[in-house]
Amino acid sequence: QKEVEQDPGPLSVPEGAIVSLNCTYSNSAFQYFMWYRQYSRKGPELLMYTYSSGNKEDGRFTAQVDKSSKYISLFIRDSQPSDSATYLCAMAKSGTYKYIFGTGTRLKVLA
Amino acid sequence: GAGVSQSPSNKVTEKGKDVELRCDPISGHTALYWYRQSLGQGLEFLIYFQGNSAPDKSGLPSDRFSAERTGGSVSTLTIQRTQQEDSAVYLCASSLGVGGNTIYFGEGSWLTVV
């Protein structure tokens, strides 16, 4: 079993839809949770960073962490064609350098 | 610099040739990472540097792969006798420290071995 599981998609939604992207993990020691966006032929770009459980909101993006269920989510409100990209979750334990990445979910927002 | 800088951005090489990929991390970042991303795959950890030393080289796929970092800054990933399966994007990232510090990626070096 992989430490981090992420549905690869592709996920196609109409413009304006609410998008939910998810990752599950097996290691309860993970404390830091990140979401990266990666456009085609570009490097991953940090979108959201969360420590431990709870929600964090930034504009149209909301990150949620549920440590009891070992489940993290990224919500995108009012999705735009420019949101079409691959979204990678990543997580890390306290005091470690090893960031574990999901395989990424490919999202396509249709105009 | 403002961000992580990688060169070359694209490289096409013949099977059997050696290649060098360069990474210039964000100024002041002590931690530096190399990852590999193959088509449709997730990020595969290759090596981590803290300063100039590499405490973890466990991700390097074979002894054809090596990396060094000098002056606590620039790093070079070298692939000797390239094979077609080495074709991938090689991503460099850096962070201020470890244990939850955000890592920032470069744009990647896109390697094609023909």
Side-chain angles (χ1 to χ4, degrees), chain B residues 15 21 46 53 61 67 81 95 99:
Chain B
K15 178 180 169 182
L21 308 176
L46 297 180
S53 63
R81 305 182 303 282
S95 67

Side-chain angles (χ1 to χ4, degrees), chain B residues 2-80:
Chain B
V4 178
S5 178
Q6 291 188 246
S7 62
S9 52
N10 285 285
K11 176 76 176 179
V12 180
T13 191
E14 290 181 353
K15 178 180 169 182
K17 294 278 175 76
D18 297 352
V19 295
E20 279 191 357
L21 308 176
R22 177 190 164 104
C23 174
D24 197 347
I26 293 172
S27 179
H29 281 194
T30 59
L32 186 147
Y33 312 79
W34 284 98
Y35 287 85
R36 180 168 71 174
Q37 187 177 37
S38 303
L39 187 64
Q41 301 297 311
L43 271 67
E44 176 189 4
F45 169 82
L46 297 180
I47 189 169
Y48 153 73
F49 286 93
Q50 181 59 45
N52 289 339
S53 63
D56 188 351
K57 305 179 184 179
S58 63
L60 294 177
S62 74
D63 59 8
R64 296 187 296 104
F65 288 72
S66 63
E68 65 174 15
R69 188 179 185 194
T70 55
S73 181
V74 172
S75 175
T76 303
L77 177 69
T78 302
I79 310 172
Q80 295 179 309

Side-chain angles (χ1 to χ4, degrees), chain A residues 15-59:
Chain A
E15 183 176 357
I18 295 173
V19 176
S20 171
L21 304 166
N22 312 294
C23 287
T24 58
Y25 61 96
S26 56
N27 193 334
S28 58
F30 287 139
Q31 294 277 6
Y32 302 93
F33 304 91
M34 288 146 276
W35 285 96
Y36 286 84
R37 177 176 61 195
Q38 187 175 23
Y39 290 116
S40 181
R41 297 194 68 83
K42 294 286 188 182
E45 165 198 12
L46 180 71
L47 265 184
M48 301 288 280
Y49 174 96
T50 317
Y51 171 71
S52 195
S53 279
N55 293 2
K56 185 172 183 178
E57 189 173 319
D58 184 0

Side-chain angles (χ1 to χ4, degrees), chain A residues 96-97 99, chain B residues 29-31 33 48 50 95-103:
Chain A
T96 182
Y97 58 86
Y99 297 78
Chain B
H29 281 194
T30 59
Y33 312 79
Y48 153 73
Q50 181 59 45
S95 67
L96 268 174
V98 297
N101 278 274
T102 305
I103 59 173

Side-chain angles (χ1 to χ4, degrees), chain A residues 72-88:
Chain A
I72 68 170
S73 301
L74 177 71
F75 296 96
I76 308 174
R77 288 185 300 281
D78 187 26
S79 56
Q80 303 295 310
S82 58
D83 296 327
S84 298
T86 296
Y87 290 79
L88 298 151

